[in-house]
Amino acid sequence: MTETDGAATASQAADPGPRKSSWKYIGPGIVVAATGVGAGDLVATLIAGSKFGYTLLWAAVIGCLVKISLAEATGRWHLATGRTIFEGWRSLGRWTTWYFAVYIVVWGFVYGATAMSSSALPIVALFPDGPGLKVWAAITGILGLVFVWFNRYAVFEKAMTVMIGVMFVVVVYVAVRVGPSLPKTFAGLVPALPDGSLLYTLGIVGGVGGTITMAAYGYWVNAKGWTTPAWMKVMRLDNRVAYVTTGIFVVAMLIIGAELLHSTNIVLTSGDKGLVDLGDVLEQRFGSATATLFLVGFFATSFSSLIGVWHGVSLMFADFVERLRKEAVRVETAEAGGAAEVATGEREKSVPFRAYLLWLTFPPMALLFLDQPFGLVLVYGVLGAFFMPFLAFTLIALLNSSRTPGEWRNGWLSNIMLAAAGLLFVVLCVQQIRELF
């Protein structure tokens, strides 16, 4: 038996887990679904629907399967080994630390400004006579900071559940309101690639809900108190619920794009502002009440992504700093695994956690008032494009090695899905870098 096997067995004896998988335990999946689906993802799906109607619906289904596989692998690593994903990356060599260190600093700086602007857009549309976009953006960032700073995971999860409930109800309501065509919907489940649709297809499969929050899922699993393989069935149910929910979002947005935009040849602004345009279209078609409801859903989508990143990525950063600190003082025992430490909630009160919260909130405000420096955006784009292939291929390496107890290593299906995800994200990575240059 390896050291990892022994540590996992001992911790499982201390935490026998639930007697059976149950819906009442679901939580981290809701958090990752609410965080991973941002306004930009919804706009991209809307535009795909407006250009190709229902034709790319099948891509949304495949996208859900890809995300289920990635998140399941991340959660399985945390539960099977009692170690965090960063500990796993660290075991693959120092190069992973260098990549992650640069990535998380640059990504957080640029993403902070993007998330705040996205959250402010629907507020400006709802209250046009109030403060401008930049002021509302700064306010949403500070609200996110205060909420995550003073609340632990349990409260955070409840807030995310409320917001994803609002998102779900609003998006599905609007999709039903525009009158979906059931024959066309079912026809869209048959794989087809119309001329010029390849990149949109790849974007739907790989883009919705696919960010660093995929890696944060394991940390939320631990923060929930799940730290041993005894929780594996619960985690898998939780994960499936998350990405089935995400899939419903994608299908609903495709329906809205197909019925409301494709049939009338309405063109949206690219980026998050496209959802404001959609609010105007809804107002003209269904009245101000539906438009207002949609803007509330837009805010729930954007702000849930903001506080999700403020919490989840700060938790990852805190683990990153703690791992390096323990290595510096040579704390290397079987009990040094970070999963149990995350479960105590102490990381959420730590200095690195709160330092990264401040990094996400205040320095990015400079980008709200200045044009984003081209060089910084370039580095952000390149590092971000590499992250999902990095996650997929490192999970293959970790879950097929002796680092993982034999019972929980990858089977053939997991390897196929992770390899397919990795290759997909490599193609998207190349395309994104081409667009940058």
Side-chain angles (χ1 to χ4, degrees):
M1 178 181 290
T2 65
E3 181 182 272
T4 302
D5 290 331
T9 302
S11 59
Q12 186 170 0
D15 176 14
R19 291 185 177 181
K20 62 179 181 178
S21 179
S22 172
W23 291 85
K24 70 180 181 180
Y25 295 114
I26 288 173
I30 297 297
V31 172
V32 77
T35 305
V37 180
D41 295 316
L42 296 186
V43 172
T45 308
L46 264 178
I47 292 175
S50 70
K51 287 181 176 291
F52 305 104
Y54 292 88
T55 309
L56 301 182
L57 194 60
W58 61 272
V61 176
I62 292 179
C64 286
L65 296 176
V66 167
K67 303 306 185 318
I68 286 171
S69 300
L70 278 166
E72 188 275 339
T74 304
R76 178 155 44 96
W77 165 264
H78 277 245
L79 294 180
T81 67
R83 298 180 181 273
T84 65
I85 191 65
F86 178 74
E87 291 178 274
W89 290 336
R90 186 69 171 159
S91 72
L92 295 174
R94 290 185 176 274
W95 66 273
T96 58
T97 302
W98 285 107
Y99 169 75
F100 184 75
V102 176
Y103 171 78
I104 201 169
V105 171
V106 176
W107 182 89
F109 184 47
V110 181
Y111 179 83
T114 303
M116 288 186 272
S117 295
S118 180
S119 297
L121 276 169
I123 301 178
V124 173
L126 286 167
F127 306 104
D129 297 327
L133 177 69
K134 294 173 183 177
V135 174
W136 277 120
I139 290 171
T140 60
I142 292 170
L143 285 175
L145 168 71
V146 171
F147 177 80
V148 175
W149 189 290
F150 290 105
N151 290 295
R152 301 281 75 81
Y153 175 80
V155 177
F156 164 71
E157 182 188 285
K158 287 181 174 63
M160 295 292 274
T161 301
V162 170
M163 281 186 277
I164 201 171
V166 173
M167 293 161 57
F168 187 90
V169 169
V170 169
V171 172
V172 172
Y173 166 76
V174 173
V176 171
R177 190 77 190 272
V178 301
S181 167
L182 291 180
K184 290 180 180 178
T185 301
F186 287 115
L189 296 174
V190 179
L193 281 175
D195 291 342
S197 67
L198 179 59
L199 292 180
Y200 289 97
T201 303
L202 292 174
I204 291 173
V205 175
V208 179
T211 66
I212 192 174
T213 55
M214 297 288 295
Y217 177 61
Y219 289 87
W220 285 321
V221 163
N222 294 153
K224 180 76 170 176
W226 307 347
T227 58
T228 71
W231 291 94
M232 200 70 75
K233 288 184 179 179
V234 173
M235 181 274 293
R236 285 170 168 163
L237 174 63
D238 177 76
N239 175 44
R240 289 165 190 159
V241 169
Y243 284 101
V244 168
T245 303
T246 301
I248 293 173
F249 284 139
V250 178
V251 170
M253 292 305 285
L254 269 173
I255 289 172
I256 295 168
E259 292 293 339
L260 200 61
L261 307 175
H262 181 66
S263 59
T264 54
N265 295 317
I266 296 173
V267 179
L268 297 182
T269 305
S270 62
D272 295 353
K273 290 183 180 178
L275 291 184
V276 177
D277 293 346
L278 180 60
D280 295 337
V281 174
L282 288 170
E283 184 170 9
Q284 293 170 12
R285 178 85 174 267
F286 301 112
S288 60
T290 298
T292 299
L293 183 65
F294 177 76
L295 290 172
V296 170
F298 177 5
F299 174 75
T301 300
S302 299
F303 193 64
S304 63
S305 292
L306 186 152
I307 64 171
V309 167
W310 263 229
H311 185 276
V313 183
S314 297
L315 205 53
M316 292 183 70
F317 182 79
D319 183 56
F320 163 72
V321 173
E322 181 63 15
R323 291 301 101 207
L324 296 185
R325 186 193 69 79
K326 285 198 171 185
E327 286 186 18
V329 297
R330 301 185 182 279
V331 178
E332 297 180 6
T333 66
E335 290 73 32
E341 295 172 20
V342 174
T344 66
E346 291 301 313
R347 292 280 171 81
E348 296 168 87
K349 296 183 285 186
S350 68
V351 172
F353 181 89
R354 289 177 167 173
Y356 195 75
L357 269 178
L358 295 172
W359 175 253
L360 281 168
T361 307
F362 292 107
M365 288 182 186
L367 298 181
L368 297 173
F369 296 91
L370 301 171
D371 290 332
Q372 295 184 5
F374 176 75
L376 182 62
V377 173
L378 195 66
V379 174
Y380 166 78
V382 172
L383 289 170
F386 274 106
F387 183 78
M388 292 304 286
F390 168 79
L391 176 62
F393 290 127
T394 53
L395 282 171
I396 290 175
L398 292 171
L399 293 169
N400 284 287
S401 71
S402 59
R403 298 174 182 86
T404 304
E407 180 184 357
W408 302 111
R409 290 177 198 163
N410 275 359
W412 63 269
L413 182 59
S414 293
N415 280 324
I416 289 173
M417 293 300 295
L418 289 176
L423 293 173
L424 166 68
F425 290 123
V426 166
V427 174
L428 289 171
C429 173
V430 171
Q431 177 60 28
Q432 186 171 340
I433 292 172
R434 286 177 61 188
E435 289 176 358
L436 288 170
F437 289 96

